[in-house]
Amino acid sequence: MHKVAVGTVDWNARREDFPILHEQAHGHPLIYFDSAATSQKPRPVIEALRNFYEHDNANVHRGLHTLSSRATEAYEKARQRVAEYIGAASADEIIFTRGTTESINLVAQAWGGKFIREENVILLTGMEHHSNVVPWQLLAERIGARLRFVPVLDDGTLDLDQLPSLLTPEVKLFAFTHISNSLGTINPVAELCAKAHAVGALTLVDAAQSAGHMPIDVRELGCDFLAFSGHKMCGPTGIGVLYGRAEVLDSMPPWHGGGEMIVSVALEKSTFKKAPHRFEAGTPNIAGAIGLAAAIDYIEHIGRPAIFEHDSQLARYAAERIKELPGIRVFGPKEERGALVGFVMEAAHPHDLTTFADQYGLAMRGGHHCNQPLMRRFGVSGTTRASFYFYNMMEEIDRMIEILHAAARFFK
Ligand code: C6P
């Protein structure tokens, strides 16, 4: 598909692809600054879903009739599309899941259950989303293994000086986020993967906040697993991806049992298909996978380098302007940051501030963002977060600043 060069995208036209952006909230034009929670959906994705249900809907891999063949072909083409999007060597390395959370649980249960022993360590970081903490806690408790965490520095980056003492040969997996959903920190994935491999550990990258915002090539990054969600990158909810390096997936037992993942079933014992089908028991989210492929086509048509540049500009501008406000603390790195800004206004609790903003049509998120350990690290119960995507505009940030000034006066 043709890619538009950085800087030449007509962002206003792209914005028009999102019908929901014409909505109003409390009588004000909607300003949607909550894309880190879930992105909005462009017309081509909505149409792909509609088209599937109107023309091709049937179950996959089962029927021998025309619709079933069409549905199967579209579903498997979607898998191929995802593989290309992240630079995987083969579509067999792509498992469809419900989202990042399920992808990480799959690795914890299927891979962790087989390969983690009592004497082993799973290394995480202090900025992980609960989805990349709790599955490892459950595993560690069951097996008696230990967790370690790379600390977060005051500027929101990882304390990489601690790595030599943390990344020791007992570590079997280093699982970390690509972009922090509260700080916007972009972690040096390739460097972290190389360091993990040097001590014999595998790596899992949580790409929930990066997959729709920047180019990702799993082979260049050198990761063993990569997890992301369709709904944060213009796709539907309920569909996500686990990439696993072929050799690693082949070594893993199934996790969910049921239809479609077996070769044969006898009353006492079953044999299983190869990856990825071994990990997709039951009827999958067929429409979701097709919608995700449409989202990928849409994103690729714009071009991820252009999206990254646009989103980073918005985030940097927002971070600078938010500092104008009285009694404000802005979180995250000063220089490069992902498409979001977290902040605390002394005068107002994040929930109150977010509710106030909603009265003016401004949708942000207030709370701990499923990052309780990180919030504790920074001594706050939560933050207010404005998160952006390519359909947002500088003018909306200016309007946000006006609304935040009004809030500062109101809560004073
Ligand atoms: N973060 C946010 O508002 P799911 O829910 O499975 O699609 O994604 C989970 C997840 C995992 N890792 C990171 C870094 C994330 O940001 C998220 C989702 C949303 O920040 C909802 S809490």
Side-chain angles (χ1 to χ4, degrees):
M1 189 156 288
H2 176 68
K3 281 189 190 161
V4 182
V6 174
T8 63
V9 180
D10 181 350
W11 298 110
N12 286 328
R14 296 290 63 82
R15 188 176 160 80
E16 284 306 309
D17 293 334
F18 291 78
I20 205 168
L21 297 178
H22 289 289
E23 287 297 306
Q24 300 223 327
H26 299 286
H28 295 275
L30 173 69
I31 299 178
Y32 188 74
F33 282 176
D34 199 18
S35 292
T38 197
S39 75
Q40 296 303 348
K41 322 301 173 199
R43 228 175 246 110
V45 170
I46 298 167
E47 275 159 16
L49 294 172
R50 187 188 166 108
N51 185 63
F52 172 71
Y53 283 122
E54 285 188 351
H55 298 287
D56 301 329
N57 179 49
N59 212 328
V60 290
H61 302 136
R62 288 170 168 82
L64 293 174
H65 56 80
T66 305
L67 290 191
S68 176
S69 310
R70 273 198 226 151
T72 304
E73 199 187 317
Y75 181 69
E76 291 305 325
K77 253 172 85 177
R79 198 190 301 281
Q80 181 62 44
R81 192 73 190 91
V82 172
E84 288 158 10
Y85 184 70
I86 58 166
S90 149
D92 292 343
E93 296 181 317
I94 304 301
I95 300 163
F96 283 123
T97 63
R98 283 193 296 134
T100 310
T101 304
E102 190 172 81
S103 297
I104 297 173
N105 276 279
L106 193 169
V107 178
Q109 289 181 36
W111 179 85
K114 180 168 173 188
F115 292 107
I116 296 293
R117 301 267 175 279
E118 205 179 337
E119 61 276 18
N120 294 152
V121 171
I122 297 150
L123 181 61
L124 307 171
T125 83
M127 64 170 75
E128 297 312 308
H129 187 276
H130 296 166
S131 298
N132 200 26
V133 176
V134 183
W136 305 113
Q137 289 175 342
L138 294 174
L139 176 74
E141 269 166 34
R142 183 154 63 83
I143 294 184
R146 279 170 303 141
L147 304 180
R148 279 183 199 152
F149 297 87
V150 181
V152 178
L153 294 167
D154 288 345
D155 70 355
T157 59
L158 291 175
D159 186 356
L160 297 181
D161 290 346
Q162 303 291 325
L163 265 193
S165 62
L166 294 168
L167 199 46
T168 55
E170 306 90 78
V171 175
K172 290 292 162 230
L173 182 78
F174 185 14
F176 55 90
T177 193
H178 192 173
I179 298 184
S180 158
N181 65 313
S182 284
L183 303 169
T185 316
I186 305 176
N187 286 320
V189 176
E191 179 192 338
L192 298 183
C193 288
K195 288 193 166 142
H197 289 157
V199 298
L202 297 192
T203 51
L204 181 150
V205 178
D206 173 350
Q209 295 296 346
S210 58
H213 290 266
M214 62 196 288
I216 288 185
D217 184 312
V218 286
R219 281 182 285 176
E220 273 175 21
L221 295 175
C223 58
D224 299 289
F225 297 106
L226 182 111
F228 58 97
S229 304
H231 70 95
K232 293 188 200 285
M233 46 179 284
C234 297
T237 47
I239 188 76
V241 171
L242 174 68
Y243 156 82
R245 205 155 50 73
E247 198 191 327
V248 184
L249 290 185
D250 287 345
S251 71
M252 287 161 52
W255 75 313
H256 289 161
E260 268 316 296
M261 44 79 76
I262 53 89
V263 172
S264 75
V265 177
L267 287 180
E268 304 297 337
K269 199 167 166 49
S270 303
T271 55
F272 307 111
K273 286 183 177 161
K274 288 186 185 317
H277 301 289
R278 184 193 304 174
F279 302 104
E280 292 181 7
T283 300
N285 184 351
I286 307 161
I290 290 164
L292 174 58
I296 287 176
D297 284 344
Y298 181 82
I299 287 173
E300 287 286 74
H301 187 69
I302 300 173
R304 279 174 283 175
I307 291 175
F308 182 71
E309 194 178 301
H310 180 268
D311 295 355
S312 317
Q313 269 174 19
L314 288 177
R316 275 197 303 268
Y317 180 62
E320 274 314 306
R321 294 237 34 214
I322 288 171
K323 284 187 203 140
E324 290 171 11
L325 290 147
I328 276 277
R329 182 173 170 199
V330 178
F331 296 84
K334 298 226 164 9
E335 304 299 323
E336 199 183 46
R337 62 159 70 231
L340 58 94
V341 185
F343 57 95
V344 167
M345 186 184 277
E346 228 170 62
H349 186 279
H351 286 167
D352 296 333
L353 184 57
T354 310
T355 308
F356 180 94
D358 181 55
Q359 299 303 309
Y360 295 87
L362 170 59
M364 300 187 291
R365 188 170 174 198
H368 56 64
H369 315 296
C370 301
N371 274 144
Q372 284 184 354
L374 183 68
M375 296 296 136
R376 230 166 268 133
R377 150 72 181 84
F378 282 99
V380 293
S381 63
T383 66
T384 301
R385 183 187 68 188
S387 57
F388 315 109
Y389 211 0
F390 56 84
Y391 42 69
N392 293 126
M393 304 178 302
M394 292 289 183
E395 295 85 328
E396 291 180 302
I397 293 175
D398 292 336
R399 177 70 188 132
M400 171 180 78
I401 299 297
E402 283 171 19
I403 295 168
L404 292 177
H405 272 296
R409 288 192 295 274
F410 180 83
F411 287 108
K412 193 168 64 171

